[in-house]
Amino acid sequence: MRIVLGVGGGIAAYKVASLLRLFTEAGHDVTVIPTEAATRFVGVATWEALSGHPVSNSVFDEVHTVNHVRLGHEAELIVVAPATADLLARAATGQANDLLSNTLLMAGGCPVLMAPAMHTEMWQHPATQANVETLRSRGITVLEPASGRLTGSDSGPGRLPEPEAIFEAALALAGAPPVPATAPLPASDAVLSSAPGPLAGLTVTVSAGGTREPLDPVRFLGNRSSGKQGVALAAAARDAGAKVRLLAAHMDVPPPSGVNVVNVETALELRKAALHAAADSDVIIMAAAVADFRPADVSGTKIKKRDDVADPVISLVRNPDILRELVETRDAASRRQLIVGFAAETGDADGDVLDYAAAKLRRKACDLLVVNHVGQDKVFGEDTNSVVILSRAGSEPQEASGSKSDVAAAVIDRISAELSRVVPPA
Ligand code: CTP
């Protein structure tokens, strides 16, 4: 579900970082819009890092995307926390003096929940109470604040409700209870366009880009994947009529239009999103470059160089093999689903590229393996590619080369052919 999380300028803004985490971990796509004052309490970098989206509070940023209209139009749920006295007043009087208030005015029919936090006197002031009444009369859900210790020595009603309580109230309002990891994604999150074509009516999930494995809040282990091939595959699947979900790790290119994007950072996040997405996917294409290892320990604070202690040694632990797990999960559920892996291989004295690729196909047990020959020609970041498509069913290896769009079209054609071989058209 697409959520806009508006953050008001109150000390409770720090608790909203946990609320954001709850939303993203449940698989929702959250855009944070803090007010100017909110960024004095929690900086833009925190919201960007936790949401995976750029963050702004000005209507003059990203003007070409018409943000002040688009965010409100696209939102399926808007949550404002903490809703300060000022923010409630601005919303009640329909002001449009920053990105959040514009977005609230553009919200159309989507549910809006506001979670107030302020000192007791402000909350109980007739002006605030009148604003709350106005907002409620317009169908906006304004939660009652919790009671307890406030910022100073005072206590009383005015505390921000706990993040878990806001999370549950928000999802209940949107009619989308938290989903277990194996349940299908909510329909709104799963599907977009469905055009005529060989994949019409099918849902295709594509992973793309390179995962990033954090070492500390500012550093990560990553790889050179640009995401170009995965993005081209998502576009080709869309053009073949499929409803497409793109699981986007770090990419150098923007996602294509008309596909549903789920942003992920680490291999573990990609695993969760992929297993989640698998429940309603007819085809899964694992084009992402997944880190095989992650740091065993992630420092909560920036690792400093110090003269009085030895330089750090990074220990790694192995990440799960997502592709293998997808195949196992599918087989255990006897689900009809085509799973495609990618492999970058080099030959050596013990075997050529196709020998190693064939061994990988047996190991991973996916239906198709798209093999890049790396070594003499670089693949990462280039606009062209040359691959061999191997099939577990044993048909002849098929070569495809050209632009990454050409290669994507060939892979999608092959997927269509495999599907029609397994399930003849009605
Ligand atoms: N893959 C995955 N999970 C991982 C690693 C890779 O799902 N932890 C997927 C990739 O998305 C790709 C395929 O597996 O579709 C092959 O990736 P590759 O890195 O070549 O496979 P590895 O199993 O890591 O093989 P190698 O030992 O050659 O690195």
Side-chain angles (χ1 to χ4, degrees), residues 212-423:
R212 289 180 162 185
E213 310 297 320
L215 278 161
D216 70 13
V218 294
R219 304 183 180 96
F220 58 83
L221 298 180
N223 60 62
R224 289 178 192 271
S225 173
S226 65
K228 286 180 183 172
Q229 187 62 74
V231 163
L233 283 157
R238 174 203 62 197
D239 293 345
K243 302 161 187 167
V244 180
R245 184 189 294 118
L246 179 68
L247 308 181
H250 177 76
M251 307 195 307
D252 295 339
V253 289
S257 60
V259 309
N260 188 276
V261 181
V262 178
N263 290 299
V264 296
E265 182 87 6
T266 63
L268 292 181
E269 284 176 21
L270 176 56
R271 172 184 175 272
K272 190 172 170 191
L275 291 174
H276 201 155
D280 71 352
S281 296
D282 301 290
V283 178
I284 304 176
I285 306 174
M286 282 295 293
V290 187
D292 285 325
F293 302 97
R294 66 180 183 278
D297 300 303
V298 182
S299 171
T301 53
K302 189 179 169 198
I303 300 168
K304 301 267 189 209
K305 53 182 177 303
R306 288 174 47 180
D307 291 334
D308 54 336
V309 291
D311 288 344
V313 173
I314 299 169
S315 316
L316 301 174
V317 291
R318 199 182 280 204
N319 274 327
D321 186 331
I322 304 167
L323 180 58
R324 178 88 202 124
E325 214 173 324
L326 286 167
V327 171
E328 283 168 0
T329 311
R330 173 197 64 184
D331 293 349
S334 305
R335 191 179 295 140
R336 184 174 286 172
Q337 185 175 66
L338 192 93
I339 302 183
V340 182
F342 269 69
E345 294 293 341
T346 54
D348 61 21
D350 294 327
D352 70 11
V353 171
L354 287 186
D355 295 332
Y356 285 115
K360 185 168 285 182
L361 179 59
R362 281 195 296 277
R363 210 167 56 240
K364 303 260 185 180
C366 50
D367 303 290
L368 296 175
L369 190 70
V370 182
V371 185
N372 281 307
H373 185 177
V374 290
Q376 63 272 67
D377 301 318
K378 283 207 184 99
V379 179
F380 291 116
E382 299 277 316
D383 290 324
T384 56
N385 204 356
S386 172
V387 302
V388 177
I389 306 171
L390 300 185
S391 144
R392 195 157 62 103
S395 37
E396 278 296 295
Q398 177 191 340
E399 292 188 17
S401 60
S403 69
K404 288 192 172 172
S405 299
D406 296 336
V407 169
V411 172
I412 295 298
D413 277 353
R414 181 60 188 267
I415 288 171
S416 308
E418 292 285 320
L419 287 171
S420 57
R421 203 170 52 77
V422 179
V423 190

